[in-house]
Amino acid sequence: MGKDKLRKFSENETFGHVIQPSREEVESGITYKGNWAQKLFNNTAPIVLELGCGKGEYTVSLAKAFPNKNFIGIDIKGARIWRGAKTADQEEISNVAFIRTQIELIDLLFEKGEIDEIWITFPDPQIKFRRAKHRLTHPEFLRKYFKVLKSEGLVHLKTDSEFLHGYTHGVLQIENQKIHFANHDVYQPHKVGIPNYVREIQTFYEKKYLEQNKPITYLQFSLKF
């Protein structure tokens, strides 16, 4: 392991807004469960998650755009999380935090109805059939999200993958879920009704995709099982 990674792992340990529970801690009942807003943010504001947050660009940007909400980025890669955590620390952004853990544990991390919104931004589409269960919009994941979301809580999927967009749209229709927005290219000027923040917040890779003229797709939906 490189020295830079070790440095980032070490610094993550000093951040009060980076939580790194073991799988055993999560499975046995993490103390934050049901009280994330109060214990981590010292408030009762709504909680929004970004799953597979990577370097936390979107998490941090959302936190800046919506100071009256709490934002938590979840990713298993500690060296990636470090970047977002460092930015939040340097800029003194108090409504952002990160959890280093597996996304499949989400229903054990949070209490039923504890989460207001979930963002999934540019995830690996897992195109190969044998990897289907790893897609973050696979029905098994959707059922986990439903467990932690408030009634009518929103899920946002923003991706450059037409495959994942189409797959997710199909899953939602089969599962009889409510789709609020379904757009194949959010930057087309004639697209109306899309929330401004969908366009205004861009990650490093999203900007690269746009430079390559790749359309950015967006789905917003709520769940009920």
Side-chain angles (χ1 to χ4, degrees):
M1 186 181 295
K3 289 183 179 179
D4 193 50
K5 264 192 176 181
L6 289 174
R7 176 184 63 82
K8 290 174 180 178
F9 289 157
S10 180
E11 193 164 8
N12 278 344
E13 296 287 346
T14 71
F15 294 139
H17 57 295
V18 175
I19 310 301
Q20 303 184 84
S22 66
R23 190 181 186 97
E24 291 72 24
E25 285 179 278
V26 176
E27 291 177 340
S28 63
I30 189 168
T31 57
Y32 287 97
K33 185 177 180 180
N35 295 287
W36 283 95
Q38 295 91 334
K39 289 189 175 182
L40 190 56
F41 298 102
N42 296 313
N43 60 42
T44 57
I47 297 176
V48 182
L49 304 180
E50 185 192 1
L51 305 182
C53 67
K55 294 182 179 180
E57 295 169 89
Y58 224 88
T59 306
V60 170
S61 295
L62 284 169
K64 289 180 179 179
F66 299 96
N68 294 323
K69 294 181 180 180
N70 301 315
F71 293 86
I72 301 176
I74 300 178
D75 204 294
I76 193 59
K77 302 289 188 179
R80 292 180 186 173
I81 282 177
W82 170 86
R83 179 61 272 170
K86 185 71 171 180
T87 299
D89 183 64
Q90 290 174 329
E91 298 185 19
E92 299 182 346
I93 307 169
S94 61
N95 63 325
V96 63
F98 295 91
I99 306 174
R100 184 188 179 193
T101 193
Q102 294 93 345
I103 295 170
E104 60 264 29
L105 299 178
I106 186 174
D107 55 332
L108 301 178
L109 278 168
F110 303 99
E111 196 59 79
K112 182 176 175 63
E114 190 171 7
I115 303 303
D116 284 72
E117 296 179 53
I118 291 174
W119 279 85
I120 307 170
T121 57
F122 303 95
D124 185 336
Q126 305 287 1
I127 292 175
K128 293 182 179 179
F129 179 75
R130 67 175 182 271
R131 299 288 299 173
K133 67 179 182 180
H134 297 285
R135 295 170 193 156
L136 292 185
T137 53
H138 185 278
E140 289 185 15
F141 275 108
L142 296 182
R143 283 174 169 77
K144 289 176 182 286
Y145 305 157
F146 171 69
K147 289 180 181 179
V148 302
L149 279 167
K150 285 183 167 58
S151 177
E152 294 300 314
L154 297 176
V155 183
H156 310 263
L157 172 67
K158 190 176 181 184
T159 176
D160 65 305
S161 172
E162 274 286 350
F163 166 81
L164 186 61
H165 178 89
Y167 166 80
T168 304
H169 195 279
V171 167
L172 294 172
Q173 289 185 314
I174 291 170
E175 298 285 346
N176 198 30
Q177 304 300 332
K178 186 174 182 179
I179 300 172
H180 302 282
F181 292 104
N183 297 278
H184 290 273
D185 190 346
V186 299
Y187 292 103
Q188 285 295 316
H190 65 275
K191 296 294 184 182
V192 295
I194 302 171
N196 288 334
Y197 52 76
V198 175
R199 298 188 182 99
E200 291 170 352
I201 299 175
Q202 298 177 356
T203 65
F204 171 81
Y205 287 107
E206 181 174 353
K207 291 174 183 175
K208 289 289 186 183
Y209 299 145
L210 291 172
E211 288 173 3
Q212 299 165 14
N213 293 317
K214 293 187 71 175
I216 305 300
T217 70
Y218 174 67
L219 276 169
Q220 182 190 106
F221 54 94
S222 49
L223 299 167
K224 192 169 185 65
F225 288 98

